[in-house]
Amino acid sequence: MEGYRVMPIAEAAKIGDVFMTITGDKHVIDVEHLLSMKDGSFVGNCGHFDHEVNIAGLKEHTVEIKNIRPNLDEYKLDNGKSLFVIAEGRLVNLVAAEGHPASVMDMSFANQALGIEYLVKNQGKLPNKLLTLPEEVDYMIANIKLESMGVQIDTLTPEQEEYLHSWKL
């Protein structure tokens, strides 16, 4: 719907220049895909775990690995092509960025801790199903975070509140 061409990886591998996985599945980009890529293609993984790109299989066809810069290696292949592998095929958002910044993690941990507190305080009163963190707890955490950063935001007018709550899900 955004105008991007969608196709199987076996077809995309032959024409693309940059490949980044985000599926969380195993060998989304497998050896045959890697070997069919254009010379100089870039490959990385933003998904879950480090097995989305079959790096072990790629190494079986590699004659030399050359570090180009931190978190970027050139794999010279036995078919004469080179591929550039980002962050060793591991989670680029963790490896290359040196993990999640504290400013992200503190909010994640706050959501987890206050979510558990909510469950404990409401034990026996909640349905036995997957629950979403109550909006008021989520907003409280966001407001505390913004305040700690010295960030001020507008408050919705009653008209804006009414409009936002008028939409049916």
Side-chain angles (χ1 to χ4, degrees), residues 66-132:
K66 181 180 176 184
N67 183 255
I68 303 300
R69 60 183 307 162
N71 298 306
L72 184 65
D73 296 317
E74 179 182 12
Y75 281 60
K76 294 186 179 189
L77 306 180
D78 55 14
N79 65 8
K81 298 178 187 177
S82 287
L83 296 180
F84 294 96
V85 177
I86 305 165
E88 300 174 5
R90 296 169 55 217
L91 292 137
V92 71
N93 55 323
L94 297 179
V95 176
E98 300 178 4
H100 294 301
S103 60
V104 171
M105 295 307 294
D106 65 350
M107 290 190 65
S108 176
F109 293 142
N111 276 311
Q112 292 171 34
L114 292 175
I116 291 169
E117 178 187 57
Y118 176 80
L119 290 174
V120 169
K121 285 182 176 179
N122 292 284
Q123 185 175 8
K125 302 175 196 170
L126 300 171
N128 187 16
K129 66 176 193 172
L130 181 64
L131 300 170
T132 302

Side-chain angles (χ1 to χ4, degrees), residues 16 31 125 166:
V31 176
K125 302 175 196 170
S166 70

Side-chain angles (χ1 to χ4, degrees), residues 32-164:
E32 64 268 16
H33 310 131
L34 292 160
L35 295 177
S36 70
M37 288 181 181
K38 296 189 312 188
D39 184 39
S41 293
F42 285 77
V43 181
N45 168 25
C46 281
H48 194 61
F49 300 117
D50 62 353
H51 55 236
E52 293 197 24
V53 179
N54 188 349
I55 298 298
L58 178 63
K59 286 182 177 177
E60 293 175 14
H61 297 275
T62 300
V63 294
E64 181 184 359
I65 299 174
K66 181 180 176 184
N67 183 255
I68 303 300
R69 60 183 307 162
N71 298 306
L72 184 65
D73 296 317
E74 179 182 12
Y75 281 60
K76 294 186 179 189
L77 306 180
D78 55 14
N79 65 8
K81 298 178 187 177
S82 287
L83 296 180
F84 294 96
V85 177
I86 305 165
E88 300 174 5
R90 296 169 55 217
L91 292 137
V92 71
N93 55 323
L94 297 179
V95 176
E98 300 178 4
H100 294 301
S103 60
V104 171
M105 295 307 294
D106 65 350
M107 290 190 65
S108 176
F109 293 142
N111 276 311
Q112 292 171 34
L114 292 175
I116 291 169
E117 178 187 57
Y118 176 80
L119 290 174
V120 169
K121 285 182 176 179
N122 292 284
Q123 185 175 8
K125 302 175 196 170
L126 300 171
N128 187 16
K129 66 176 193 172
L130 181 64
L131 300 170
T132 302
L133 186 66
E135 197 173 85
E136 62 273 7
V137 175
D138 203 27
Y139 285 163
M140 179 185 70
I141 294 166
N143 285 322
I144 291 169
K145 180 62 178 179
L146 291 172
E147 185 179 314
S148 76
M149 297 171 63
V151 175
Q152 296 179 347
I153 61 171
D154 291 325
T155 303
L156 296 176
T157 66
E159 181 183 19
Q160 290 170 325
E161 283 277 355
E162 182 182 339
Y163 178 77
L164 289 176

Side-chain angles (χ1 to χ4, degrees), residues 10-24:
E11 293 176 36
K14 296 173 186 171
I15 61 173
D17 296 305
V18 179
F19 299 87
M20 191 64 65
T21 62
I22 56 169
T23 68

